[in-house]
Amino acid sequence: MAAGKYAGPLTSPGPLALTAGLLAGALGTYLAAPLTGQRASSPAAPMTFTDVTQAAGVTFTHVSGAFGKKYLPETMGAGVAVLDVDGDGRQDLFFVNSRTWPGRAGGPTLPALYRNAGNGTFTDITRGSGLDLEMYGMGAAAGDYDNDGHVDLFVTGVGGNRLFRNTGTGRFVDLTDKARLTNRSFSASAAWFDYDRDGHLDLFVTNYVQWTLETDKPCALDGKNRSYCTPETYKGESPWLFRNLGNGTFEDVTKKAGLYDPDSKGLGVALVDYDNDGWTDLFVANDTQPNRLYRNSGKGTFTDEAVGAGVAFSEAGTPRAGMGVDAADFDGTGREGLLVGNFSNEMLALYRNEGEGLFVDQAPTSSIGRDSLLTLTFACFFLDADNDGRLDIFAANGHVADDISKVQPRITHAQPAHLFRGLGPGRYQNVAAASPALSQRVVARGAAHLDFDNDGDQDLVVTTNNGPARVLRNDSRGGRALRLSLVGRRANRSAIGARVRVSWGGAAHLSTVRTGSSYLSQSELPLTFGLAQASKVEQVEIRWPGGQVERLGPQAAGQTLVVTEGAGITRRVPFGK
């Protein structure tokens, strides 16, 4: 949750009182420093998002269960997952919910599954879906783990996770115990991926800290009044890697794979092939612990390379409070870099992949560092919001302490989002203020991007802690686009890990089908390539998990291509239909 660095045990004044003077001085120096590496943007159409939550029929509200005891999980949830539940090509929404605590009054608090009606609206189909199960949920990840053509759902939570198999009949079945995924931990983000390239989706789960109601400890922000504890108050817990055995069950291979890490306090995970060797690696954002960059050896094991790669710590050499994370080739080098959401006074991290296993954080020398310094970022990801062919950055913000302004007057509980428009290599401009839907202050947590209205641009869905979800339609006057929806055959059916390279305008643009990323959330699996004003692409190259390569000739903009491994284009869906 990145509660870090604002509270301490009830019997002590907490770390804030010990560091406030130094922090204030450093913050003032930073804010007064000249901005480098950033030029004024060239004239461009504004990026505009419209809050269409009510018109879209989405009425979900997250329930944290907070009632004054300041239990640790209350500030952390919850996430949202984008998935095509019924295989109709339209992206549906699943909102994770938490619940009231035992012994407290209140009715059932259920998650919500919304089916995309195809006309700009969603229908709540939760009741009777099999997902109408009350739990203290945190996040979700979607993928077809049994390769039957129906996307399944894994939901993380406090005190236990759940695996729901999609039967293809409009219902999900809880197969947690049968699949051997039963647990009692405090899990956060999760990601489906095929780490051993056997055609079956495996599962990686981040765990946060060893917290239960029985072990809860009282903490304070000001040394007197109860507040939420920092993660340092509790011991960490190792993430898990479950290998899919292909028979509906999973094997815990965490230790065998070299991923056992009891000091971890993981909140976010991104799939990234940072060394371009065809094997999916893992980046884990840890809260007040060093981040991890797990290199996949291709032999069933992983090695943490974060320290040597320069992504474990801040520039000052200290761990940050990492939460959301994403990976993408954001600078057109053909190498995937990393984006990490951090605590207030820590700024976002934007790690450029220099090759040879080395990353450099570009945030401190761009507007990203300056504009994100005082905000607390949970969900964050790359997207091309205006389809100009350059990746932009979205960050959903909100503090964990509702009384933070009492001790840090410049920081608020509810915060506006960031939308950093990509202007070219290393240059960004925060354009969120131009869009009222983005500049509205909320206590944001999860977020995902999707094209819910099939117009070729990326819309947003954002969850708020103990508050209503928001659906933000992209009304930017952007460029043209081409979308690809991939179906694996030899590879896993969801094609997770497939890398697509689209060539147009003398340049190649790379994107990867991935789960995970963001915070507790998952964006849509289809890939959108912004083409600016180009009417077509010259070539599409798909490298499927396992190494098979398919190439498609010139393709017109304005459509979604459904590409099936080994069979080429099996369907074309024009935008607007």
Side-chain angles (χ1 to χ4, degrees):
M1 102 177 171
K5 306 175 185 172
Y6 77 88
L10 195 60
T11 55
S12 74
L16 180 67
L18 302 178
T19 61
L22 290 174
L23 178 61
L27 179 59
T29 300
Y30 181 83
L31 289 176
L35 182 64
T36 60
Q38 187 80 14
R39 298 197 306 248
S41 66
S42 57
M47 291 183 181
T48 303
F49 286 82
T50 305
D51 190 332
V52 296
T53 310
Q54 183 175 1
V58 174
T59 60
F60 174 78
T61 295
H62 172 248
V63 175
S64 72
F67 66 101
K69 287 289 188 180
K70 304 285 186 177
Y71 291 141
L72 185 64
E74 293 171 352
T75 66
M76 296 183 56
V80 56
V82 179
L83 69 164
D84 183 359
V85 171
D86 49 8
D88 63 357
R90 296 191 288 263
Q91 300 302 310
D92 310 305
L93 300 174
F94 175 76
F95 292 98
V96 183
N97 209 347
S98 304
R99 59 175 299 175
T100 55
W101 295 107
R104 301 293 301 175
T109 54
L110 302 178
L113 178 64
Y114 285 91
R115 182 179 182 273
N116 190 333
N119 59 0
T121 67
F122 293 85
T123 303
D124 189 340
I125 59 170
T126 312
R127 297 286 182 179
S129 67
L131 298 175
D132 45 352
L133 173 68
E134 191 173 29
M135 61 180 287
Y136 204 97
M138 296 302 300
D144 185 0
Y145 80 90
D146 53 1
N147 289 331
D148 67 350
H150 310 300
V151 64
D152 310 299
L153 194 63
F154 183 77
V155 182
T156 67
V158 179
N161 304 324
R162 292 287 184 271
L163 174 66
F164 295 99
R165 179 180 176 269
N166 187 343
T167 65
T169 63
R171 285 189 53 82
F172 288 78
V173 179
D174 184 350
L175 295 182
T176 310
D177 294 339
K178 183 177 180 179
R180 300 195 300 185
L181 293 175
T182 306
N183 67 88
R184 301 292 297 173
S185 295
F186 185 166
S187 300
S189 297
W192 294 102
F193 76 124
D194 185 3
Y195 82 94
D196 53 2
R197 300 198 323 198
D198 66 352
H200 302 291
L201 286 178
D202 310 300
L203 180 64
F204 182 84
V205 184
T206 66
N207 289 311
Y208 190 41
V209 296
Q210 297 180 31
W211 179 94
T212 65
L213 279 173
E214 294 73 26
T215 61
D216 180 73
K217 299 178 182 179
C219 295
L221 182 66
D222 56 8
K224 297 182 298 182
N225 299 305
R226 183 155 182 160
S227 190
Y228 292 103
C229 293
T230 70
E232 291 97 334
T233 309
Y234 300 95
K235 292 181 179 180
E237 186 164 2
S238 176
W240 296 320
L241 177 63
F242 295 101
R243 181 173 181 265
N244 189 337
L245 300 181
N247 59 2
T249 67
F250 292 80
E251 175 192 6
D252 185 346
V253 295
T254 307
K255 291 184 178 180
K256 184 188 303 184
L259 292 172
Y260 181 69
D261 180 12
D263 294 325
S264 178
K265 297 178 181 180
L267 288 178
V269 57
L271 308 180
V272 54
D273 182 6
Y274 77 94
D275 52 2
N276 286 334
D277 67 352
W279 295 90
T280 302
D281 312 304
L282 295 166
F283 179 83
V284 177
N286 274 322
D287 188 0
T288 68
Q289 292 291 316
N291 296 325
R292 309 296 191 200
L293 179 62
Y294 292 112
R295 181 180 178 275
N296 188 338
S297 70
K299 300 177 182 178
T301 59
F302 293 80
T303 304
D304 180 19
E305 306 287 352
V307 173
V311 297
F313 305 101
S314 69
E315 284 193 323
T318 58
R320 288 189 271 196
M323 289 152 291
V325 62
D326 197 13
D329 175 19
F330 63 84
D331 53 4
T333 62
R335 299 184 296 266
E336 292 181 321
L338 297 164
L339 174 69
V340 187
N342 293 309
F343 208 74
S344 53
N345 299 319
E346 292 183 338
M347 78 179 70
L348 283 163
L350 179 63
Y351 291 109
R352 184 178 188 269
N353 188 336
E354 301 287 337
E356 303 300 324
L358 180 65
F359 293 79
V360 174
D361 188 357
Q362 291 189 322
T365 56
S366 76
S367 65
I368 291 175
R370 179 187 296 270
D371 290 349
S372 67
L373 185 62
L374 295 180
T375 51
L376 195 165
T377 298
F378 275 87
C380 59
F381 45 73
F382 297 100
L383 77 165
D384 186 353
D386 55 356
N387 284 338
D388 66 350
R390 292 189 291 258
L391 286 181
D392 313 303
I393 292 172
F394 175 77
N397 307 312
H399 211 277
V400 295
D402 54 10
D403 52 356
I404 185 62
S405 60
K406 291 181 180 179
V407 292
Q408 298 189 48
R410 301 184 66 182
I411 298 177
T412 59
H413 185 216
Q415 300 175 353
H418 297 315
L419 180 60
F420 293 100
R421 168 179 259 154
L423 304 176
R427 299 186 297 118
Y428 296 88
Q429 180 186 30
N430 189 6
V431 298
S435 183
L438 298 179
S439 57
Q440 180 181 341
R441 293 176 179 268
V442 297
V443 185
R445 290 297 182 263
H449 59 86
L450 72 158
D451 182 10
F452 80 83
D453 50 2
N454 192 35
D455 63 354
D457 57 28
Q458 291 292 285
D459 311 300
L460 300 171
V461 57
V462 181
T463 67
T464 61
N465 181 251
N466 208 37
R470 306 177 71 217
V471 179
L472 309 181
R473 188 183 64 212
N474 190 341
D475 291 329
S476 305
R477 292 181 311 210
R480 297 185 174 99
L482 176 70
R483 285 167 56 81
L484 283 92
S485 179
L486 305 186
V487 181
R489 282 184 170 173
R490 291 177 59 187
N492 66 87
R493 184 67 179 257
S494 295
I496 294 165
R499 308 186 84 186
V500 179
R501 191 180 302 274
V502 170
S503 301
W504 62 272
H509 303 260
L510 175 70
S511 191
T512 301
V513 180
R514 70 179 90 239
T515 60
S517 290
S518 188
Y519 171 75
L520 304 179
S521 302
Q522 179 174 311
S523 297
E524 65 176 0
L525 294 183
L527 304 176
T528 298
F529 290 88
L531 306 180
Q533 300 309 310
S535 60
K536 65 178 181 179
V537 301
E538 289 120 37
Q539 180 177 269
V540 177
E541 179 183 284
I542 304 169
R543 184 174 297 274
W544 298 92
Q548 304 88 345
V549 177
E550 287 188 55
R551 294 181 179 89
L552 311 175
Q555 303 294 327
Q559 61 177 329
T560 298
L561 305 179
V562 179
V563 183
T564 301
E565 184 180 12
I569 299 171
T570 51
R571 189 183 178 198
R572 298 177 184 266
V573 182
F575 293 163
K577 295 185 180 179

